Amino acid sequence: MMSSASHSKNLESKKITIGVLMGGRSIEREVSLNSGRTVCDHLDTNCYTIIPLFQCQLGKLFILPWRFLHRGKIADFEHRLVQEAQQIVWDDLKEMIDLMYIALHGRYGEDGAVQGFLEILHIPYVGSKVFASALGMNKSLQKTFLAARGIKIPESITITPHHIDSLLHCSDEIVDLLKQNNLAYPLFVKPVQEGSSLGVFRVDSLHDIIKAVDHASSITVGKKQPVIIERALIGLEFSCIVIFDYLNGTYQALPPTEIVIESGKNFFDYEQKYMPGRATKYTPARCSEDVIEKIKACSIQVVQALGFMTLARIDGFVDSCGSVVITDPNSFSGLAPSSYAFLQA
């Protein structure tokens, strides 16, 4: 008969070691810390050995001490990592972990960059693959893919950084551009490659749109990026989680959440998304079962069109005609305790 010590050692040897990667180089790094903390706290330690990993703004990689994991913000511990944490290089991961749980958000984390790097290192990871991740972070290109599948999206135009420079010095050119594309106020201005509503503005005048385009294109310091100008939608705003079942190769949409923004706000901004007690959320959405099924079906269509895997979040509206319009497909969902993934599950 196997002794209890031998049995325990045998179980230990069967454990999968999971690296949970958080922080990163994007402007969404605080959101990433919240997601990484939740993943570390809730993975089953009977099945997995967990190694928290933190990437600094400049790219250095550390094994994050657990005592730092529950600090409020990155600024509370980042300056102490060099002295108090073990710095590693990416090649070390091949011997340290069996699987990477990517809890990074935004540029370099959700855009295919780290996914591609892990594939070069032959380290399996959770989430969408390289191409789908790149699509998930490019609001302009994903619209092309969705429109090709007949999925309804808001009317919009994309302005390149080179074009932005000339527009900022010629307001008449912006007026003409909006007229040519049948875009009327109110409008949304969004950076093409950011998330969490960072750099997003709702505008109602020419003066506002010039300032918004300039700010949105420069939201990441030193990296001028394209900007989308998009028709504002009115209707029921929703977010729907879609999970992929690897056992049978099917997608499942969870009950969508209805979002009601704060009084005095004109859109669902960063603070309302992540600060407790701000916007009101109803899960499931307060609409008929038929509309809920339409939202779920459309969300699955979006995930299939873009090739998202594992756990995606699809944002959109149900307009006054009852049509589902997709505004923001995400290849990964944030995993703070109050996130949609948990509300809907």
Side-chain angles (χ1 to χ4, degrees):
M1 179 180 288
M2 185 184 292
S3 70
S4 60
S6 298
H7 180 65
S8 175
K9 186 176 181 181
N10 195 37
L11 283 176
E12 194 73 26
S13 67
K14 291 182 179 178
K15 279 189 180 183
I16 295 172
T17 301
I18 298 181
V20 181
L21 182 59
M22 65 197 90
R25 301 171 61 195
S26 83
I27 56 178
E28 295 182 68
R29 52 207 311 263
E30 292 291 351
V31 181
S32 170
L33 178 64
N34 286 336
S35 289
R37 178 189 295 131
T38 306
V39 174
C40 288
D41 284 346
H42 291 88
L43 283 174
D44 186 350
T45 53
N46 291 317
C47 302
Y48 310 114
T49 298
I50 304 159
I51 300 180
L53 298 166
F54 184 85
Q55 186 184 30
C56 292
Q57 185 88 58
L58 296 178
K60 290 182 179 178
L61 199 60
F62 293 88
I63 297 176
L64 188 66
W66 285 84
R67 67 183 183 277
F68 289 166
L69 188 63
H70 295 94
R71 297 275 180 165
K73 292 185 177 181
I74 290 172
D76 296 333
F77 64 80
E78 191 168 21
H79 61 288
R80 296 170 57 185
L81 290 174
V82 172
Q83 288 78 29
E84 299 182 43
Q86 180 185 348
Q87 185 175 346
I88 60 173
V89 295
W90 288 92
D91 272 344
D92 293 338
L93 295 173
K94 291 183 287 187
E95 306 302 324
M96 290 175 54
I97 64 174
D98 300 307
L99 176 74
M100 183 72 86
Y101 198 119
I102 303 171
L104 298 176
H105 292 291
R107 193 189 290 261
Y108 311 117
E110 290 180 85
D111 63 359
V114 73
Q115 289 81 2
F117 201 26
L118 291 171
E119 290 192 9
I120 290 171
L121 295 172
H122 302 291
I123 296 173
Y125 56 89
V126 174
S128 297
K129 300 303 179 186
V130 176
F131 183 67
S133 296
L135 274 182
M137 278 302 294
N138 190 312
K139 291 180 172 63
S140 180
L141 194 55
Q142 65 189 213
K143 287 177 180 291
T144 303
F145 276 70
L146 297 180
R149 291 288 190 97
I151 296 167
K152 199 165 183 181
I153 53 175
E155 295 88 348
S156 68
I157 52 173
T158 301
I159 309 174
T160 64
H162 176 73
H163 196 189
I164 288 169
D165 290 338
S166 64
L167 286 178
L168 296 177
H169 296 95
C170 183
S171 58
D172 289 345
E173 194 173 342
I174 293 182
V175 173
D176 291 341
L177 195 60
L178 297 180
K179 283 182 180 178
Q180 290 167 17
N181 291 276
N182 296 314
L183 290 171
Y185 300 107
L187 296 166
F188 275 104
V189 175
K190 304 177 178 181
V192 163
Q193 290 182 298
E194 306 294 346
S196 295
S197 295
L198 292 166
V200 175
F201 299 89
R202 178 170 164 143
V203 297
D204 296 280
S205 69
L206 180 61
H207 178 260
D208 290 340
I209 202 169
I210 291 173
K211 288 199 304 182
V213 167
D214 186 32
H215 190 84
S217 67
S218 307
I219 188 67
T220 296
V221 177
K223 295 186 181 294
K224 200 87 166 179
Q225 64 179 292
V227 166
I228 289 176
I229 300 176
E230 181 179 279
R231 179 172 67 88
L233 296 172
I234 298 172
L236 182 149
E237 186 170 3
F238 70 83
S239 190
C240 185
I241 297 292
V242 179
I243 57 177
F244 181 68
D245 186 340
Y246 284 88
L247 295 177
N248 56 27
T250 60
Y251 295 91
Q252 179 180 353
L254 302 185
T257 297
E258 175 188 354
I259 300 153
V260 179
I261 63 173
E262 285 182 311
S263 175
K265 295 283 187 177
N266 58 14
F267 76 101
F268 191 39
D269 58 16
Y270 180 92
E271 286 75 18
Q272 292 180 80
K273 284 184 173 180
Y274 299 112
M275 300 300 166
R278 301 291 295 265
T280 305
K281 302 169 184 175
Y282 297 93
T283 308
R286 300 172 301 171
C287 54
S288 70
E289 194 61 36
D290 286 347
V291 172
I292 284 177
E293 290 305 313
K294 283 174 68 175
I295 293 171
K296 290 165 73 173
C298 186
S299 296
I300 289 174
Q301 280 184 296
V302 172
V303 166
Q304 291 173 321
L306 301 177
F308 293 168
M309 304 288 280
T310 311
L311 180 71
R313 194 190 82 235
I314 310 303
D315 299 341
F317 284 78
V318 179
D319 66 17
S320 56
C321 300
S323 298
V324 177
V325 187
I326 301 301
T327 56
D328 191 13
N330 297 271
S331 62
F332 183 65
S333 172
L335 290 173
S338 60
S339 73
Y340 299 112
F342 301 118
L343 289 171
Q344 295 175 21

